[in-house]
């Protein structure tokens, strides 16, 4: 098979063709990451990084270090912390108040649904014991009713307006840095969901489009392809733009569709479930957008021909969206619409089969399986966690389209890591797979990061496989043995080509 393929390619060579001797190395299509927050990831690269921090004193030390170089009154931003790594205790403003007396601080949790403010930041944004919880969010408080510094979901809206906006040049720099890192990891196309928390200003996504993406495109600085999704409440604006420009603004920028949120996240106990959290018996999670609003927006977006994606993590949130999608189809009629559910992490019985039956794309992030394994068993209980989490094999068995992504910067952008994780499903410090029957083969995992990911955003005519007529985006891997790769899932990126031109290293 291999030889036939080589022969066919050689037939196509003309005298302008550059021939590379790859020494038998495996070549795969350029990876497509189905879910990133690209500019946000780039911005985070320049901020306090708390990913992987597993002790309180380390957390405090990192803040101390960044305060040392900060101007008085300037915001200390960053995050990526995961309290599950130090035993679960949530951080408090009081941990860092005495080392940050002159600087407001805002540090998001790794899932982005929660963050820690210090007392300077709380004061600056007027959050006190007298402030009421906004709908869809919580100001976490002590038993005396004093804010602890933690703000979840929409409660972040009380503080975010006080953080100065990133400048245009910071955001442009962020795009360039993030894109270079993507190429290093073999990613040639990303689906960008913009600013990722519920309640983020929709305007920001549009400003990023005009200030950053259009600038980069016009000044020939785009080095990866992006497919952009916009907040669903602005669907008519996207509809008009597509009418004007078409879906492909250029070979680099595609206008994707619209996205809204059904629930929060598991890490912040705000993913929406039928059963309460095992560690919080009265908490079922949060529905962050009213059903009628989600339903009306989906109906209108779909009617105008836009692709719709919904964030749903908990089992109840997934069912809610499956129901909405079903009713929109019955009203608007059958067409090739490729409705997506982003994350699709926990399912009630029967949900995986509904993805297949209804033709819903499951846009999932295998690397979250590693981050969530311990907390899922704690928060859902072993029984639920073992039955309903990250059901990739079941989704494929139901004929659903499975698209892989990273949710970068929530998890690292690393398709080879995510492919391996989907094959092995072994969380750190575990001996065995988490639900072994849900492990994928290399082929299935590879498809989910290439051709299926391309189909999931309607780019399969141009991308996702090494086929005549498609754009020549491909990756050379370090391994020369397909069999070893299929057994272990391990390899590294030797080189990344975009449109047939070497882009990395
Ligand atoms: C091949 O190269 C020659 C000389 O450089 C040129 O004249 C000819 O047009 C080329 N042929 C093709 C098919 O590009
Ligand atoms: C709120 O805090 C202020 C100042 O610390 C205090 O005087 C007041 O009693 C508190 N109110 C409530 C309702 O806890
Ligand atoms: C949703 O749409 C229905 C039918 O058009 C309308 O009556 C209702 O007011 C809308 N609800 C919201 C929350 O916009």
């Amino acid at each position: 098979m291999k030889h036939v393929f080589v022969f066919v390619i050689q037939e196509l060579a003309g005298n302008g063709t550059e021939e590379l001797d790859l020494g038998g190395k495996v070549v795969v299509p350029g990876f497509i990451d189905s879910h990133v927050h690209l500019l946000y990831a780039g911005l985070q690269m320049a901020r306090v990084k708390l990913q992987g921090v597993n002790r309180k004193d380390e957390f405090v030390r990192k803040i101390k270090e960044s305060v040392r170089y900060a101007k008085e009154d300037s915001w200390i931003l960053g995050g990526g912390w995961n309290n599950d790594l130090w035993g679960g205790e949530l951080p408090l403003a009081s941990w860092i108040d005495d080392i940050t007396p002159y600087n407001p601080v805002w540090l998001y949790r790794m899932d982005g649904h929660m963050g820690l403010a210090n007392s300077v930041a709380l004061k600056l944004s007027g959050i006190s014991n007298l402030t009421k919880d906004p709908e869809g969010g919580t100001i976490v408080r002590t038993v005396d009713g004093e804010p602890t510094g933690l703000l979840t979901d929409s409660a972040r809206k009380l503080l975010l307006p006080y953080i100065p906006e990133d400048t245009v040049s910071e955001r442009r720099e962020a795009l360039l840095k993030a894109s270079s890192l993507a190429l290093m990891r073999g990613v040639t196309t990303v689906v960008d969901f913009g600013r990722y928390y519920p309640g983020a200003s929709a305007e920001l996504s549009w400003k990023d489009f005009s200030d950053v993406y259009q600038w980069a495109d016009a000044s020939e600085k785009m080095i990866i392809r992006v497919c952009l999704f916009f907040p669903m409440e602005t669907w008519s604006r996207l509809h008009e733009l597509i009418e004007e420009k078409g879906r492909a603004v250029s070979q680099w920028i595609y206008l994707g569709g619209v996205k809204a949120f059904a629930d929060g996240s598991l890490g912040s106990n705000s993913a929406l479930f039928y059963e309460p959290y095992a560690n919080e018996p009265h908490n079922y999670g949060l529905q962050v957008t009213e059903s009628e609003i989600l339903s009306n927006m989906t109906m209108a977006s779909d009617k105008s021909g836009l692709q719709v994606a919904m964030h749903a993590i908990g089992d109840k949130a997934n069912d809610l969206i499956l129901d909405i999608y079903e009713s929109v189809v019955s009203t608007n009629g059958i067409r090739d619409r490729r409705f997506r559910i982003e994350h699709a992490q926990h399912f009630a019985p029967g949900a995986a089969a509904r993805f297949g039956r209804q033709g819903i794309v499951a846009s999932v992030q295998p690397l979250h399986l590693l981050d969530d394994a311990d907390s899922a068993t704690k928060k859902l209980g072993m029984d639920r966690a073992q039955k309903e989490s990250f059901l990739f094999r079941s989704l494929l068995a139901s004929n659903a389209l499975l698209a892989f992504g990273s949710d970068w910067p929530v998890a690292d952008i690393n398709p080879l890591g995510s492919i391996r994780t989907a094959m092995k499903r072994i969380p750190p410090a575990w001996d065995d797979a988490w639900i072994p029957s849900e492990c994928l083969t290399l082929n299935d995992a590879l498809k989910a990061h290439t051709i299926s990911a391309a189909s999931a955003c309607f780019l399969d005519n141009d991308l996702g496989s090494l086929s005549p007529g498609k754009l020549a985006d491909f990756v050379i891997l370090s391994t020369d043995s397909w069999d070893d790769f299929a057994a272990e899932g391990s390899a590294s990126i030797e080189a990344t080509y975009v449109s047939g031109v070497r882009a990395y290293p």
Side-chain angles (χ1 to χ4, degrees):
M1 204 48 208
K2 222 188 223 166
H3 297 289
V4 174
F5 190 59
V6 168
F7 176 72
V8 170
I9 294 280
Q10 218 138 42
E11 290 258 288
L12 298 173
N15 56 3
T17 304
E18 183 190 356
E19 288 189 42
L20 301 173
D21 183 353
L22 304 180
K25 299 269 167 67
V26 171
V27 176
V28 294
F31 292 119
I32 299 173
D33 191 315
S34 300
H35 192 121
V36 302
H37 306 279
L38 194 64
L39 300 198
Y40 201 71
L43 289 165
Q44 293 309 323
M45 287 166 78
R47 291 178 178 166
V48 190
K49 290 183 193 57
L50 299 171
Q51 283 84 356
V53 167
N54 58 10
R55 292 198 340 242
K56 172 180 167 184
D57 58 353
E58 178 70 4
F59 182 103
V60 174
R61 192 188 63 75
K62 292 238 177 182
I63 308 306
K64 206 168 179 175
E65 205 169 89
S66 43
V67 175
R68 187 150 22 126
Y69 303 105
K71 284 201 292 268
E72 204 166 292
D73 295 333
S74 69
W75 280 78
I76 309 290
L77 299 170
W81 53 269
N82 176 4
N83 50 306
D84 294 320
L85 298 183
W86 58 77
E89 186 193 353
L90 285 164
L92 303 169
S94 61
W95 288 14
I96 54 171
D97 274 343
D98 53 343
I99 56 169
T100 57
Y102 308 116
N103 295 90
V105 178
W106 174 245
L107 305 165
Y108 73 95
R109 191 184 185 280
M110 61 172 290
D111 57 14
H113 288 266
M114 177 191 275
L116 177 69
N118 69 347
S119 292
V120 178
L122 291 174
K123 189 155 181 224
L124 194 72
S125 43
I127 299 169
S128 73
N129 58 353
L130 303 174
T131 313
K132 287 207 180 66
D133 286 353
E135 194 161 328
T138 309
I139 301 167
V140 179
R141 299 166 204 262
T142 64
V143 284
D144 306 324
E146 294 299 326
T148 68
L150 287 167
L151 306 174
T152 75
D153 291 295
S154 75
R156 292 163 308 164
K157 274 200 261 187
L158 301 171
L159 174 134
L160 296 178
Y162 295 89
I163 299 177
E165 282 182 20
D166 305 302
T167 64
V168 173
S169 64
E170 282 166 338
R171 289 182 292 135
R172 289 176 177 174
E173 184 62 22
L175 170 66
L176 305 182
K177 277 202 299 212
S179 303
S180 304
L181 184 60
L183 288 173
M184 256 174 79
R185 302 289 166 76
V187 174
T188 52
T189 301
V190 298
V191 182
D192 184 9
F193 283 89
R195 306 307 177 111
Y196 67 98
Y197 36 87
S201 144
E203 199 48 38
L204 264 181
S205 290
W206 286 100
K207 276 175 65 180
D208 286 344
F209 174 66
S210 53
D211 296 347
V212 183
Y213 284 117
Q214 289 193 303
W215 162 82
D217 202 21
S219 48
E220 301 189 352
K221 287 186 175 0
M222 290 299 294
I223 52 174
I224 61 170
R225 304 183 207 283
V226 296
C227 175
L228 306 176
F229 273 68
F230 293 85
M232 204 181 308
E233 64 265 33
T234 62
W235 67 268
S236 60
R237 195 162 164 188
L238 180 63
H239 175 61
E240 278 163 30
L241 189 65
I242 292 178
E243 294 275 284
E244 181 195 330
K245 294 187 184 290
R247 280 201 63 217
V249 174
S250 71
Q251 64 148 331
W252 300 105
I253 300 182
Y254 296 89
L255 300 172
V258 289
K259 181 208 183 188
F261 287 86
D263 65 347
S265 79
L266 184 69
S268 295
N269 284 18
S270 56
L272 184 66
F273 288 96
Y274 288 110
E275 300 289 324
Y277 284 83
N279 57 348
E280 284 183 15
H282 300 294
N283 182 12
Y284 292 78
L286 281 179
Q287 182 173 337
V288 301
T289 319
E290 274 175 49
S291 304
E292 195 175 299
I293 294 176
L294 287 176
S295 175
N296 282 11
M297 285 194 304
T298 305
M299 199 73 83
S301 308
D302 180 71
K303 206 171 232 160
S304 78
L306 292 172
Q307 189 183 12
V308 172
M310 292 272 199
H311 165 117
I313 291 183
D315 51 16
K316 191 172 178 188
N318 276 281
D319 280 355
L320 172 77
I321 300 307
L322 288 166
D323 289 346
I324 289 177
Y325 282 167
E326 196 162 40
S327 95
V328 169
V329 171
S330 75
T331 305
N332 289 354
I334 307 276
R335 71 176 175 93
D336 180 10
R337 46 168 59 82
R338 306 187 202 179
F339 276 148
R340 298 168 59 119
I341 294 186
E342 303 303 311
H343 310 305
Q345 211 165 291
H346 302 281
F347 292 162
R354 287 185 71 185
F355 274 77
R357 204 166 56 236
Q358 295 178 217
I360 309 300
V361 175
S363 167
V364 300
Q365 299 81 36
L367 291 172
H368 286 354
L369 179 165
L370 304 181
D371 298 322
D372 281 350
D374 291 325
S375 62
T377 46
K378 204 158 56 193
K379 291 178 181 193
L380 308 180
M382 190 52 105
D383 187 45
R384 272 163 72 197
Q386 285 287 351
K387 266 198 290 230
E388 65 160 44
S389 314
F390 299 91
L391 304 184
F392 303 157
R393 178 102 243 139
S394 303
L395 281 162
L396 284 181
S398 85
N399 272 327
L401 191 65
L402 188 67
F404 280 177
S406 62
D407 206 4
W408 191 37
V410 179
D412 198 12
I413 187 166
N414 182 0
L416 286 172
S418 101
I419 287 169
R420 187 180 155 78
T421 300
M423 291 166 63
K424 304 284 175 189
R425 296 179 69 99
I426 303 178
W430 287 39
D431 295 325
D432 303 311
W434 183 15
I435 326 185
S437 57
E438 295 292 335
C439 290
L440 297 189
T441 62
L442 173 63
N443 266 331
D444 285 337
L446 206 49
K447 274 191 197 159
H449 248 316
T450 55
I451 187 64
S452 300
S455 299
C457 58
F458 286 97
L459 292 179
D460 44 319
N461 281 335
D462 291 345
L463 304 173
S465 64
L466 302 173
S467 324
K470 289 198 184 181
L471 296 166
D473 297 352
F474 59 93
V475 171
I476 302 168
L477 301 181
S478 56
T479 179
D480 59 8
S481 161
W482 184 266
D483 292 340
D484 290 352
F485 187 29
E488 284 311 308
S490 56
S492 59
I493 306 294
E494 295 256 301
T496 305
Y497 284 72
V498 178
S499 289
V501 176
R502 195 171 75 181
Y504 166 82

